[in-house]
Amino acid sequence: MSLADTITAELEREAVSTRNLLQLVPDDKLTWKPHDTSMTLGLLANHIATLPGGMALVGAMDHLDYGNFTPPSQPESTAAVLAAFDEGVKQAVATIGAMSDADLMKSWSLNKGGSAIFSVPRAGLFRTILLNHLYHHRGQLSVYLRMLGLRLPSIYGPSADENPFG
């Protein structure tokens, strides 16, 4: 199994749980946030939704200058979030899936003003900034949804609301 196969298989597997949470985001709560310093529910959901496609584009480059980073915007609806997520996962699977092991081991850098802030192999970029980052924010989303009183689906096992084992 190639590195690309390993990364894309994990992304596709984890996308199911991520989409299950995203589809619970209520349209009428997109501007809600648990604290003044927190992202809104809509911004968080849109950040999660745009991570796969955005990282596919970024990971296909040799570097990104931090000044060219565009943060996600407030979405208009949960349907728009889901569409962005579905398209982004499809794009990430196609982009990463087309990379050879040698491509995935080539160095990628985040720069600021022409100087590298950090450099990693592309595989490390996808592991850290795509997958781990996605899981981090998915956990954050589950807390937001619980604070809104919503029932949470199983992610890696039973939740307080759903037990896939019985």
Side-chain angles (χ1 to χ4, degrees), residues 56-68:
L57 291 173
V58 166
M61 299 183 243
D62 291 331
H63 66 276
L64 175 70
D65 191 281
Y66 187 74
N68 293 332

Side-chain angles (χ1 to χ4, degrees), residues 16-34:
V16 174
S17 295
T18 303
R19 192 177 201 290
N20 286 341
L21 281 178
L22 288 171
Q23 68 188 8
L24 295 176
V25 172
D27 277 323
D28 65 342
K29 298 289 186 192
L30 290 173
T31 59
W32 177 86
K33 55 185 179 176

Side-chain angles (χ1 to χ4, degrees), residues 70-82:
T70 304
S73 58
Q74 183 70 32
E76 294 182 18
S77 67
T78 301
V81 168
L82 292 170

Side-chain angles (χ1 to χ4, degrees), residues 51-108:
L51 265 171
M55 287 311 302
L57 291 173
V58 166
M61 299 183 243
D62 291 331
H63 66 276
L64 175 70
D65 191 281
Y66 187 74
N68 293 332
F69 174 73
T70 304
S73 58
Q74 183 70 32
E76 294 182 18
S77 67
T78 301
V81 168
L82 292 170
F85 182 70
D86 293 343
E87 182 58 34
V89 169
K90 182 177 166 184
Q91 182 179 12
V93 168
T95 300
I96 297 166
M99 292 183 179
S100 68
D101 284 359
D103 293 332
L104 287 165
M105 293 312 295
K106 287 181 184 171
S107 186
W108 182 92

Side-chain angles (χ1 to χ4, degrees), residues 10-160:
E10 183 174 342
L11 177 59
E12 289 178 310
R13 191 172 51 252
E14 295 292 333
V16 174
S17 295
T18 303
R19 192 177 201 290
N20 286 341
L21 281 178
L22 288 171
Q23 68 188 8
L24 295 176
V25 172
D27 277 323
D28 65 342
K29 298 289 186 192
L30 290 173
T31 59
W32 177 86
K33 55 185 179 176
H35 188 271
D36 289 342
T37 60
S38 300
M39 279 190 272
T40 66
L41 176 60
L43 282 174
L44 176 60
N46 207 36
H47 181 53
I48 292 166
T50 58
L51 265 171
M55 287 311 302
L57 291 173
V58 166
M61 299 183 243
D62 291 331
H63 66 276
L64 175 70
D65 191 281
Y66 187 74
N68 293 332
F69 174 73
T70 304
S73 58
Q74 183 70 32
E76 294 182 18
S77 67
T78 301
V81 168
L82 292 170
F85 182 70
D86 293 343
E87 182 58 34
V89 169
K90 182 177 166 184
Q91 182 179 12
V93 168
T95 300
I96 297 166
M99 292 183 179
S100 68
D101 284 359
D103 293 332
L104 287 165
M105 293 312 295
K106 287 181 184 171
S107 186
W108 182 92
S109 297
L110 178 65
N111 299 336
K112 185 174 182 183
S115 298
I117 296 172
F118 72 88
S119 296
V120 294
R122 274 192 187 88
L125 173 74
F126 292 132
R127 159 60 48 212
T128 305
I129 308 298
L130 171 55
L131 297 172
N132 293 351
H133 190 175
L134 185 68
Y135 309 149
H136 160 75
H137 285 303
R138 183 175 69 190
Q140 188 180 9
L141 178 61
S142 70
V143 172
Y144 276 41
L145 296 173
R146 176 61 79 203
M147 290 177 77
L148 289 170
L150 296 168
R151 296 175 54 83
L152 297 179
S154 168
I155 295 177
Y156 292 121
S159 74

